[in-house]
Amino acid sequence: MKRIIGIMGAMPEEIDGVVALLTNCVATTLGKRIYYSGQINGIETVVVFSRWGKVAAATTATTLIHEFKITELLFTGVAGALDSDLKIGDIVLGNRLIQHDMDARPLMKQFEIPLLGKTYFESDANHLAIATKAIATLIESKALHTVISDQDLKEFSISQPKLVIGEIASGDQFFSSNEQKDNLSTQLPNVLCVEMEGAAVAQVCYEYEIPFCIIRTISDVADDQSHIDFPSFIKKISSKYAAEIINTIFNLN
């Protein structure tokens, strides 16, 4: 089977830098999305802006599988921190993902996906290992500091970002209050961060047996100030993180 890697991001800025890595780039429009096909480091790749939310992300992932015949999937984007040790600019790799807004009680347990009997979706171990090595290399070499200005890093108090591997929760909510954050942390104390797409993508990949990896940069601490910092962070920080991380991953493949 021909190897084709799909790359998704939930914001246009999160994929712009990745699209720029493509050679022989061809754009295809399907379902109000533009899919960019080409090669990165000689590997066939399709890059797409998925749009926000679980439905949008699941639709995009399914199209990548059916129309573009991808054999593996990477999702790069941002998340709000739930774990108090996470700071803005840190990177989280999801070793397993859960949909925090799935609740079919009393028919089944809270968070369990109907018909699948699963609560968590596990990331592919091989992709997790490659992404871990790539991100650790970027952090140790301070490579991110060379593509982001000192002024922009200082604006978000980023000095030494760290990589953490753990649980990520997804749901169709933007977290912008301490109450939301505290409620979810009480229900799911092991979750590191929260976002709106990863676990839906993970479910689609699980059902189609496509290995995947979810990479999230902490953009805010999911509190009352998160909406203020978010647009600026996407533009100045996470878009550059995404391109550097993906480029390094492909150099290791």
Side-chain angles (χ1 to χ4, degrees):
M1 183 183 293
K2 183 179 182 182
R3 185 186 190 194
I4 305 173
I5 300 178
I7 300 175
M8 294 171 56
M11 300 280 289
E13 297 88 348
E14 290 168 357
I15 67 149
D16 286 347
V18 180
V19 171
L21 298 173
L22 290 170
T23 55
N24 305 311
C25 183
V26 175
T28 305
T29 301
L30 284 172
K32 302 187 186 301
R33 293 157 175 77
I34 302 174
Y35 295 80
Y36 299 93
S37 304
Q39 298 86 38
I40 300 177
N41 199 28
I43 302 171
E44 293 295 327
T45 307
V46 185
V47 184
V48 59
F49 157 44
S50 70
R51 302 174 174 238
W52 287 22
K54 294 197 303 176
V55 173
T59 299
T60 308
T62 305
T63 302
L64 282 170
I65 294 166
H66 280 288
E67 299 293 333
F68 295 93
K69 311 301 181 186
I70 64 163
T71 56
E72 51 206 274
L73 193 150
L74 304 175
F75 193 111
T76 177
V78 297
L82 292 185
D83 189 287
S84 59
D85 289 336
L86 287 171
K87 308 299 181 191
I88 292 176
D90 289 345
I91 302 167
V92 176
L93 279 174
N95 61 1
R96 59 182 198 163
L97 294 100
I98 184 170
Q99 295 179 35
H100 69 75
D101 56 355
M102 175 58 71
D103 190 349
R105 293 177 295 180
L107 300 177
M108 55 196 63
K109 293 183 294 183
Q110 187 177 11
F111 310 122
E112 182 179 316
I113 304 300
L115 304 181
L116 294 182
K118 284 182 70 70
T119 300
Y120 291 94
F121 295 97
E122 293 77 20
S123 299
D124 177 68
N126 183 53
H127 283 74
L128 204 59
I130 292 171
T132 299
K133 184 176 180 180
I135 295 165
T137 299
L138 286 174
I139 290 173
E140 289 165 11
S141 66
K142 288 190 174 289
L144 295 170
H145 291 65
T146 65
V147 295
I148 303 170
S149 73
D150 290 339
Q151 181 179 345
D152 288 343
L153 289 168
K154 186 177 181 181
E155 178 183 342
F156 293 96
S157 302
I158 300 170
S159 57
Q160 187 58 43
K162 64 180 177 291
L163 168 64
V164 183
I165 300 170
E167 295 177 11
I168 296 175
S170 308
D172 286 324
Q173 300 169 25
F174 183 82
F175 275 54
S176 58
S177 75
N178 290 313
E179 183 181 6
Q180 283 176 295
K181 181 177 176 179
D182 293 343
N183 286 343
L184 187 56
S185 292
T186 299
Q187 290 181 307
L188 296 168
N190 294 324
V191 166
L192 296 175
C193 61
V194 62
E195 36 89 311
M196 297 175 70
E197 298 85 20
V201 171
Q203 180 178 339
V204 172
C205 288
Y206 170 80
E207 295 193 26
Y208 283 96
E209 299 182 347
I210 298 290
F212 68 90
C213 185
I214 309 294
I215 306 160
R216 290 290 186 174
T217 300
I218 298 302
S219 60
D220 57 83
V221 292
D223 64 6
D224 305 278
Q225 296 299 309
S226 57
H227 63 289
I228 298 172
D229 297 334
F230 189 74
S232 179
F233 183 85
I234 298 293
K235 179 181 178 181
K236 296 177 180 178
I237 307 294
S238 69
S239 58
K240 295 172 183 176
Y241 266 51
E244 289 298 307
I245 290 170
I246 293 297
N247 191 39
T248 307
I249 286 173
F250 272 76
N251 285 330
L252 293 174
N253 268 279

